[in-house]
């Protein structure tokens, strides 16, 4: 993260200056879990909000119908098309990437209506009677599902994200994301225009389905005080935690934190109530303290399929860097 958040010029060191760090816990194309440390909630919130609202993606923004005899009206289908995740894969790459260098926002392009620099055109033309002739005999009496696979792009680098991962693809009954079902005599022909935008303008441009963080738990076990407890009392403390963040060491019998306590800690009062009942005096030290860290956060990000999770994080850091550099430049102008 340090390489993304750099000042424009070398300046004097600020008091309480921080150098945020990122540690990757797990990473998959559609999901990433990482630790953001040595910073505070303002930075954690900034990164989270940027991932949700300011990372640019492509989404269908305009639909032109030539024919629609399906059971759904034009507006309903247009809404469904708008929510399809559109994936941009840079040339020579296999990952869904940031499209901000490949496309311009529609409002900033100098073209009259649309052009390849600011939009991608998809065509969809499905006729039930024509397609039904090529289907297996046992399927000819069933409705025909129009999916995202039927959208043909005029840009080889851009296509709908049909599935989130291979597991979802194997379990799916359709070839892509379902749009509408057609019956005998029905057809659907349209042209859809995808443009770049951010979800601050509309939710269809949001690249993430989940973007959350939780505070890293600081679990402090007072071994000296715990020596006064019986094994039954220690077991009672273990069971008092609904999130099961404590366990008994099989060899020593001491209370220890479980390995994945950071995933389960909910900071409930149950443990506090249980150990208060075991104290001889109310002012005695706690046997176990569970406190949220103020400078260490566990992020969990799951994408919609429009971008790889790693690319969403990189893009969010780029946006934050651009904002910081812009702010620094404006402050410099005020000084002049």
């Amino acid at each position: 993260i340090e390489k993304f958040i750099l000042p424009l010029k070398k300046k004097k060191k600020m008091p309480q200056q921080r150098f945020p760090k990122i540690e990757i816990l797990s990473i998959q194309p559609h999901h990433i879990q990482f630790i953001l440390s040595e910073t505070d909630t303002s930075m954690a919130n900034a990164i989270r909000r940027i991932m949700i609202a300011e990372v640019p993606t492509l989404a269908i923004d305009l639909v032109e119908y030539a024919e629609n005899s399906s059971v759904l009206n034009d507006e309903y289908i247009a809404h469904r098309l708008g929510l399809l995740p559109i994936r941009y894969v840079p040339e020579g790459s296999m990952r869904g990437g940031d499209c901000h260098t490949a496309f311009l926002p529609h409002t900033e392009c100098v073209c009259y209506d649309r052009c390849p620099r600011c939009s991608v055109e998809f065509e969809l033309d499905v006729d039930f009677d024509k397609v039904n002739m090529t289907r297996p005999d046992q399927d000819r009496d069933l409705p025909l599902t129009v999916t995202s696979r039927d959208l043909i792009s005029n840009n080889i680098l851009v296509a709908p994200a049909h599935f989130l991962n291979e597991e979802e693809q194997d379990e799916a009954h359709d070839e892509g994301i379902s749009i509408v079902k057609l019956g005998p005599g029905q057809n659907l022909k349209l042209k859809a225009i995808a443009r770049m935008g951010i979800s601050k303008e509309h939710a269809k441009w949001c690249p993430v389905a989940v973007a959350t963080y939780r505070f890293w738990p600081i679990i402090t076990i007072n071994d000296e005080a715990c020596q006064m407890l019986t094994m039954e009392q220690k077991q009672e403390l273990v069971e008092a935690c609904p999130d099961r963040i404590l366990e008994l060491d099989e060899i020593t019998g001491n209370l220890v934190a479980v390995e994945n306590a950071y995933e389960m800690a909910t900071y409930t009062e149950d443990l506090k109530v249980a150990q208060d009942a075991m104290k001889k005096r109310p002012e005695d030290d706690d046997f176990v303290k569970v406190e949220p860290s103020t400078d260490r956060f566990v992020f969990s990000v799951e994408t919609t399929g429009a971008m790889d999770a790693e690319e969403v994080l990189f893009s969010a850091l780029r946006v934050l860097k651009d904002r910081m550099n812009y702010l620094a430049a404006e402050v410099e102008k005020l000084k002049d």
Side-chain angles (χ1 to χ4, degrees):
I1 192 172
E2 293 179 32
K3 68 177 181 180
F4 288 96
I5 308 174
L6 295 175
L8 288 177
K9 300 177 182 178
K10 187 175 181 181
K11 302 182 184 296
K12 294 180 180 179
K13 287 188 177 180
M14 300 295 292
Q16 298 180 348
Q17 188 175 8
R18 297 192 177 197
F19 298 92
K21 296 180 181 178
I22 285 180
E23 176 188 346
I24 304 297
L25 295 177
S26 64
I27 185 169
Q28 300 176 30
H30 66 285
H31 180 266
I32 184 172
Q33 191 175 37
F34 62 91
I35 297 173
L36 176 66
S37 60
E38 298 187 26
T39 186
D40 54 22
T41 52
S42 63
M43 178 66 71
N45 271 320
I47 294 176
R48 174 183 170 273
R49 291 172 69 91
I50 290 174
M51 285 192 288
I52 293 173
E54 298 188 52
V55 171
T57 62
L58 293 169
I60 291 175
D61 193 43
L62 177 66
V63 181
E64 300 173 351
Y65 289 90
E67 189 169 358
N68 176 20
S69 57
S70 70
V71 294
L72 300 182
N73 57 41
D74 295 353
E75 292 79 6
Y76 204 112
I77 294 176
H79 181 262
R80 287 190 168 189
L81 292 171
L83 296 179
L84 293 176
I86 305 299
R87 189 177 180 87
Y88 166 72
V89 180
E91 194 170 358
S93 173
M94 297 291 289
R95 301 188 302 181
D98 191 340
C99 62
H100 86 284
T101 57
F103 297 94
L104 287 172
H106 177 65
T107 54
E108 298 178 11
C109 190
V110 297
C111 66
Y112 174 72
D113 184 20
R114 56 178 178 265
C115 68
R117 190 74 177 94
C118 68
S119 62
V120 178
E121 189 174 295
F122 293 90
E123 289 188 355
L124 187 149
D125 186 2
V126 180
D127 188 309
F128 178 90
D129 294 334
K130 292 181 180 179
V131 176
N132 206 39
M133 297 174 62
T134 63
R135 299 169 77 190
D137 293 339
Q138 65 270 21
D139 294 340
R140 291 190 179 184
D141 293 332
L142 301 176
L144 174 66
T145 303
V146 180
T147 71
S148 55
R149 292 274 185 190
D150 297 307
L151 285 167
I152 309 301
S153 173
N154 69 343
N155 188 325
I156 60 173
L157 302 179
V158 179
H162 309 297
F163 298 100
L164 197 60
N165 50 48
E166 293 183 359
E167 181 181 351
E168 185 179 272
Q169 183 174 353
D170 294 338
E171 295 176 354
H173 298 288
D174 298 317
E175 296 183 356
I177 301 174
S178 300
I179 300 172
V180 66
K181 291 182 182 292
L182 299 180
Q186 295 180 341
N187 53 38
L188 179 63
K189 185 177 182 180
L190 57 83
K191 185 181 294 184
I193 310 302
R195 293 168 176 160
M196 186 176 72
I198 58 177
S199 68
K200 185 179 284 188
E201 180 182 351
H202 193 284
K204 65 186 176 184
W205 278 296
C206 185
V208 295
V210 176
T212 62
Y213 72 83
R214 58 193 302 156
F215 297 94
W216 183 273
I218 301 175
I219 302 174
T220 307
I221 299 176
N222 189 337
D223 292 328
E224 183 178 348
C226 287
Q227 290 178 359
M228 307 299 295
L229 298 176
T230 64
M231 290 300 294
E232 290 76 13
Q233 288 176 315
K234 292 179 181 179
Q235 185 62 38
E236 187 178 340
L237 287 180
V238 171
E239 296 175 356
C241 298
D243 41 22
R244 293 293 186 269
I245 59 173
L246 298 176
E247 64 181 0
L248 290 177
D249 189 284
E250 295 180 356
I251 299 176
T252 64
N254 295 332
L255 284 171
V256 294
V258 299
E259 291 185 2
N260 58 339
Y262 68 90
E263 294 182 345
M264 301 185 293
T266 54
Y267 311 104
T268 62
E269 292 293 324
D270 303 64
L271 180 61
K272 177 72 174 174
V273 173
Q275 58 186 339
D276 283 348
M278 297 179 186
K279 293 179 182 178
K280 294 182 178 180
R281 295 172 299 179
E283 62 270 18
D284 288 346
D285 293 335
D286 289 335
F287 303 111
V288 181
K289 283 185 179 180
V290 183
E291 301 171 311
S293 173
T294 58
D295 62 355
R296 191 173 174 88
F297 313 92
V298 183
F299 273 78
S300 181
V301 180
E302 183 178 342
T303 73
T304 61
M307 297 174 65
D308 278 22
E310 181 182 359
E311 294 296 325
V312 173
L313 176 59
F314 285 148
S315 184
L317 294 175
R318 175 189 58 78
V319 172
L320 181 59
K321 172 191 171 185
D322 292 344
R323 291 291 184 87
M324 298 291 286
N325 286 342
Y326 173 77
L327 178 61
E330 291 299 310
V331 171
E332 287 297 320
K333 290 180 183 178
L334 293 176
K335 290 181 180 180
D336 298 336

